[in-house]
Amino acid sequence: MSLLQVSGLHTRYETNDGVLRAVDGVSFAIEAGETVGLVGESGCGKSTLGKTLVGLVPASEGEVTFDGAEISHLSPAALKPVRRRLQMIFQDPFGSLNPRQSIGQILTAPLAVHGVRSAAERRAQALAMVRRVGLPDDTLQRFPHEFSGGQRQRIGVARALILAPQLVVCDEPVSALDLSIQAQILNLLVEMKSELDLAYLFVSHDLSVVRYFADRVLVMYLGRIVESATYDTIWSRPRHPYTRALMEAVPDPLRRRTAAPLSGDLPSARNVPSGCRFHPRCPFATDLCRSADPALRSVEPGHEVACHHAEAIFAAAGATPPGAATVH
Amino acid sequence: MATTLLEVENLTVRFPRLAAVQDLSFSVGVGETLAIVGESGSGKSITALALMRLVPPPGRITGGSIRFDGRELTALPDAAMRKVRGAEIAMIFQEPMTSLNPVLTIGRQIGETVRLHEGVSRRIARARAIELLDLVRIPEPHRRVDDYPHQLSGGMRQRVMIAMAVICRPKLLIADEPTTALDVTIQAQVLALLDNLRRELSMGLLLITHDLGIVGQWADRVVVMYASRKVEEGSPDAILDAPWHPYTQGLMAASPRHAGDLHYRRTPLVEIPGSITSAFGETGCPFVPRCALAEARCREVVPPPLSLGDHLVACVRHDPFKEAADVALAG
């Protein structure tokens, strides 16, 4: 049985301009100890999906089963024991820490909520965690503004892990950090994963980070998963034109390209295009794509794609990684 | 190389308790793209503001010269400097939403700027705004001109900012992290637009970024800054394929983008330990506290920049001229 099983999940926001379908029918699973990367552009619904899984945003429809129990429609009280095992690390290490709480308060609060009665014990656990994430001992007495961005993200990691969860949703955990700090945090996440046997859902817009960090990759476009495969398959044999375009767009200093790969913007999730939602930006779109919504289907073991023409496009472009061959 | 448009020599910008930019020298040729790469705290954005003479007080330019198109900007009277800003040197910023007025249509905002600089009627200003939106490849400009900023995507807003920046056909466009807030797919579009415009309008482009990934494709030359100083300069090929400074080398190694086939289950990423704040108060090389190769002499003086051809480095362990000579003698 999978640690997390998501089926037919929808998350909708009511807005003045109509219903925004942020997550529009998503199904996938995460195994214990597995790292799943979730990539897509801003507005594709990846952050909303992460927040829906941990219960920060209510699901509109569908099921989320965590460790055998359905959790998507629980009351906050009923969700409390689940939260201990299902945690989240946020993108902005500045905005996600209360500036008026000391790091000691920030780290001991979850322990108090989850029944560690002795204050001395809470303190000891917090100190051990602070040391574990590579911060000095006096961290507990200090406040968030006294730390740099990288240090604050270490505090964010410590807060998420102090309850020893099984699954951590990481929402763009290194995007706000300088390059020289990103590697430090990624390495820390890897170390903590092997020590605590964690599973991660790693949400990011940066395919190259996901490729390094994930066992399996989900590519999301406008509320849907359009491709799912292991990290080496997605890189060597991407099937969906959107996945290929995303790869093309990654600025790579060792590859000097000349043209912008993907035209247009992500359409609004209030007004999802007919048929395949990617068709207005897709260079391969046909009448079929404009009328019929492609389902996620298996093209080889462990590799699923939602594209009517995946085989034809793949045959035409060959197994050559994007960048070597231009598919547009 | 093209005729020099901007020549900065030994520029120093000080705030009461720290030097934000020290002894910085670089040049931008007519129609050339120079990228200044550095992380937060490197001084790259203050450098951009210094070129516009817009360093926020109490900071000020305390030394060096900025020669632009035959004039010394550090000595220019305020009134004359105001004429340079916008008209001859224009600037765009990272977050277009905070630079646009949310309650005015984009046509009105572009039009006001046109009227300010060209003194034309409202009707002509509106026509010019549509022309400018077309220039920055905004589809259906005659319709978009009446949109408010919130109706546009992040990429479109940045295009509007670029349209406003090029109204007067500036000789130099400073783009401070123009694509940092945008998605990778949109980044490429905006960078391609900037690149086309600098060719069409023969502008010098000063591209300020933290992202080494974009310099290979879009820059003619690259300056790497660390903790207020230039540590390396060269062609994108030199900087990306064979960097000399331990900081540049570390940045290349630390990025998963350059890690090729690496995967977390097999290989950890190479880290640069510590953070840039450790450079504060350092009397020698600013990178010493984080440098795996540091020696005693690195702490004594700030390493002078040494160059071979157009590749320059500031590291006492690295004398490119001597190394080239050694290679020549050995061969």
Side-chain angles (χ1 to χ4, degrees):
Chain A
M1 187 186 63
S2 304
L3 177 64
L4 183 86
Q5 180 76 50
V6 177
S7 30
L9 188 69
H10 292 256
T11 307
R12 303 186 193 101
Y13 296 110
E14 300 285 341
T15 71
N16 291 336
D17 302 328
V19 176
L20 191 153
R21 288 142 65 185
V23 178
D24 198 22
V26 160
S27 304
F28 65 96
I30 299 177
E31 308 301 324
E34 187 186 29
T35 298
V36 173
L38 178 63
V39 284
E41 292 170 270
S42 16
C44 76
K46 58 189 191 302
S47 288
T48 298
L49 175 55
K51 286 178 185 158
T52 308
L53 297 182
V54 299
L56 286 177
V57 172
S60 309
E61 201 182 304
E63 284 187 354
V64 179
T65 312
F66 180 69
D67 207 11
E70 154 59 36
I71 60 166
S72 64
H73 298 97
L74 294 182
S75 67
L79 200 56
K80 193 176 132 186
V82 177
R83 283 245 168 87
R84 176 177 195 138
R85 298 181 292 147
L86 177 55
Q87 283 288 319
M88 184 149 181
I89 297 171
F90 297 90
Q91 169 173 5
D92 181 5
F94 297 83
S96 56
L97 299 174
N98 186 336
R100 301 173 67 158
Q101 286 188 336
S102 71
I103 309 307
Q105 288 172 301
I106 289 171
L107 293 184
T108 54
L111 294 170
V113 168
H114 288 281
V116 179
R117 293 267 170 81
S118 140
E121 173 59 23
R122 293 198 293 265
R123 205 82 187 158
Q125 285 192 28
L127 183 61
M129 184 50 84
V130 156
R131 287 180 178 155
R132 183 56 205 87
V133 298
L135 292 169
D137 285 2
D138 67 350
T139 298
L140 292 182
Q141 289 85 55
R142 293 162 67 185
F143 287 82
H145 74 267
E146 299 176 63
F147 295 91
S148 67
Q151 288 173 320
R152 284 185 219 204
Q153 198 55 298
R154 286 177 194 272
I155 294 164
V157 171
R159 176 179 60 183
L161 300 188
I162 197 153
L163 294 167
Q166 290 166 285
L167 174 63
V168 181
V169 174
C170 309
D171 188 7
E172 303 266 13
V174 299
S175 305
L177 303 177
D178 272 307
L179 189 57
S180 79
I181 306 296
Q182 283 191 10
Q184 296 176 7
I185 298 298
L186 288 172
N187 282 345
L188 175 67
L189 290 172
V190 171
E191 287 161 24
M192 299 311 289
K193 174 189 167 70
S194 58
E195 272 175 41
L196 300 172
D197 196 26
L198 298 171
Y200 287 128
L201 178 69
F202 190 88
V203 180
S204 176
H205 70 283
D206 190 336
L207 205 58
S208 56
V209 173
V210 166
R211 180 204 188 190
Y212 171 78
F213 196 74
D215 299 314
R216 206 151 45 83
V217 180
L218 308 174
V219 180
M220 194 162 177
Y221 188 79
L222 215 56
R224 286 275 178 84
I225 308 273
V226 297
E227 186 157 11
S228 158
T230 60
Y231 74 94
D232 46 354
T233 302
I234 204 108
W235 207 258
S236 59
R237 296 192 296 282
R239 296 294 185 110
H240 200 285
Y242 180 63
T243 311
R244 300 185 77 100
L246 266 188
M247 288 178 174
E248 292 258 302
V250 174
D252 181 348
L254 305 178
R255 171 154 60 80
R256 322 267 151 88
R257 285 169 296 102
T258 48
L262 193 61
S263 58
D265 284 325
L266 189 70
S268 165
R270 286 187 198 90
N271 194 6
V272 174
S274 65
C276 172
R277 50 198 67 205
F278 185 58
H279 87 254
R281 297 172 83 187
C282 183
F284 306 105
T286 61
D287 285 342
L288 176 64
C289 306
R290 285 181 270 276
S291 56
D293 191 1
L296 197 61
R297 62 196 169 89
S298 178
V299 287
E300 58 183 315
H303 190 172
E304 294 180 315
V305 62
C307 172
H308 294 302
H309 304 304
E311 285 81 2
I313 293 166
F314 185 67
T320 335
T326 304
V327 293
H328 310 289
Chain B
M1 202 182 88
T3 326
T4 304
L5 174 68
L6 173 77
E7 176 97 46
V8 174
E9 267 183 283
N10 303 106
L11 178 69
T12 299
V13 180
R14 293 195 150 274
F15 284 77
R17 291 180 56 208
L18 87 168
V21 179
Q22 295 189 76
D23 273 331
L24 180 68
S25 302
F26 64 86
S27 67
V28 182
V30 172
E32 185 189 37
T33 301
L34 174 74
I36 297 186
V37 182
E39 56 191 285
S40 344
S42 63
K44 59 189 193 303
S45 293
I46 293 290
T47 301
L49 293 172
L51 298 180
M52 300 281 275
R53 289 251 312 265
L54 288 173
V55 175
R60 60 191 190 90
I61 299 172
T62 57
S65 79
I66 303 170
R67 270 192 307 283
F68 173 75
D69 202 29
R71 278 155 296 168
E72 174 57 48
L73 295 190
T74 56
L76 221 54
D78 287 345
M81 190 63 216
R82 273 198 294 276
K83 293 209 172 99
V84 172
R85 267 182 227 130
E88 295 182 63
I89 307 181
M91 187 162 176
I92 56 170
F93 300 90
Q94 175 173 342
E95 187 29 83
M97 197 58 195
T98 52
S99 311
L100 288 169
N101 187 333
V103 300
L104 297 179
T105 65
I106 57 170
R108 176 89 187 276
Q109 294 183 63
I110 298 172
E112 299 254 312
T113 316
V114 170
R115 279 162 57 82
L116 185 73
H117 283 285
E118 299 175 5
V120 295
S121 72
R122 278 182 194 280
R123 242 186 50 174
I124 294 176
R126 185 184 156 89
R128 280 275 285 139
I130 294 172
E131 237 176 79
L132 284 157
L133 291 178
D134 190 46
L135 179 72
V136 296
R137 281 77 157 168
I138 289 184
E140 303 177 83
H142 49 280
R143 201 168 59 82
R144 286 300 197 172
V145 73
D146 295 319
D147 276 0
Y148 289 89
H150 76 268
Q151 294 171 288
L152 302 177
S153 66
M156 288 297 159
R157 282 180 209 138
Q158 195 58 288
R159 284 172 195 265
V160 171
M161 293 311 299
I162 294 170
M164 290 170 81
V166 299
I167 285 172
C168 303
R169 304 202 156 222
K171 299 185 179 102
L172 177 69
L173 178 63
I174 303 173
D176 188 3
E177 303 270 14
T179 60
T180 304
L182 306 175
D183 275 306
V184 280
T185 54
I186 309 301
Q187 272 184 19
Q189 294 172 8
V190 170
L191 289 166
L193 172 66
L194 285 172
D195 199 52
N196 286 332
L197 287 177
R198 71 130 170 166
R199 286 168 208 276
E200 285 168 29
L201 309 177
S202 305
M203 289 186 300
L205 180 61
L206 185 61
L207 188 61
I208 293 180
T209 179
H210 71 285
D211 190 349
L212 264 177
I214 66 176
V215 306
Q217 193 182 348
W218 306 107
D220 297 313
R221 274 181 314 117
V222 183
V223 165
V224 181
M225 282 186 80
Y226 183 78
S228 80
R229 292 180 188 277
K230 176 165 82 175
V231 294
E232 188 160 3
E233 177 175 352
S235 67
D237 287 339
I239 297 289
L240 301 170
D241 298 340
W244 283 343
H245 199 280
Y247 173 63
T248 320
Q249 291 169 353
L251 279 185
M252 291 296 290
S255 166
R257 286 203 186 129
H258 323 136
D261 291 330
L262 293 189
H263 193 252
Y264 83 96
R265 289 203 179 262
R266 299 187 294 268
T267 328
L269 292 171
V270 178
E271 288 179 21
I272 303 178
S275 78
I276 197 167
T277 52
S278 62
F280 190 74
E282 193 61 52
T283 50
C285 171
F287 191 57
V288 155
R290 304 175 75 185
C291 185
L293 308 169
E295 302 166 5
R297 60 187 170 135
C298 299
R299 295 188 170 79
E300 286 159 15
V301 288
V302 177
L306 297 170
S307 63
L308 180 67
D310 60 357
H311 194 171
L312 174 149
V313 69
C315 174
V316 294
R317 300 183 69 263
H318 211 101
D319 182 343
F321 190 75
K322 183 175 172 302
E323 280 158 33
D326 288 347
V327 170
L329 288 175

